[in-house]
Amino acid sequence: LEASLDLGYTGGAGAAGTIKVILCRATVRQMTQLKKIFEEHPGDYQVVLQVMPETEYPPFYPGNHVNPNDSFQRAIRECLTWGDLEIEHHEK
């Protein structure tokens, strides 16, 4: 990717943390479901999507910020047929 290409990534600046959603594959249906979940749980944690293997696919920063409460985590895990969710809390 060219350095000038803007993917909406702000390096987590101003975010309370980062939510990394790890996907085995990214189907249109799954991405649509994830977008809906992100919109239903607005908050202060920046979202990063990572399709596996990491060596072949760069991370994607959709520009969403979410609240990683229990409802959000449950919805993400129900959406993923295979995958994982990592939550990183930033220090203030």
Side-chain angles (χ1 to χ4, degrees):
L1 294 175
E2 293 183 31
S4 64
L5 185 61
D6 180 13
L7 296 177
Y9 178 57
T10 61
T18 304
I19 302 292
K20 185 175 184 181
V21 179
I22 302 167
L23 307 160
C24 177
R25 63 175 199 246
T27 65
V28 172
R29 181 176 179 219
Q30 192 172 50
M31 296 306 288
T32 301
Q33 289 175 322
L34 287 172
K35 180 181 177 188
K36 182 179 177 188
I37 293 168
F38 298 157
E39 290 171 352
E40 291 174 347
H41 296 87
D44 296 330
Y45 283 68
Q46 184 170 17
V47 174
V48 179
L49 297 176
Q50 178 65 60
V51 179
M52 299 307 284
E54 288 180 86
T55 56
E56 293 184 29
Y57 301 101
F60 175 71
Y61 302 89
N64 297 87
H65 285 77
V66 299
N67 178 354
N69 59 24
D70 290 341
S71 173
F72 170 81
Q73 292 181 46
R74 187 171 37 259
I76 292 291
R77 289 197 167 92
E78 288 173 4
C79 174
L80 301 177
T81 52
W82 179 93
D84 202 2
L85 181 67
E86 295 177 0
I87 301 173
E88 177 184 322
H89 305 282
H90 297 173
E91 293 184 28
K92 293 185 178 189

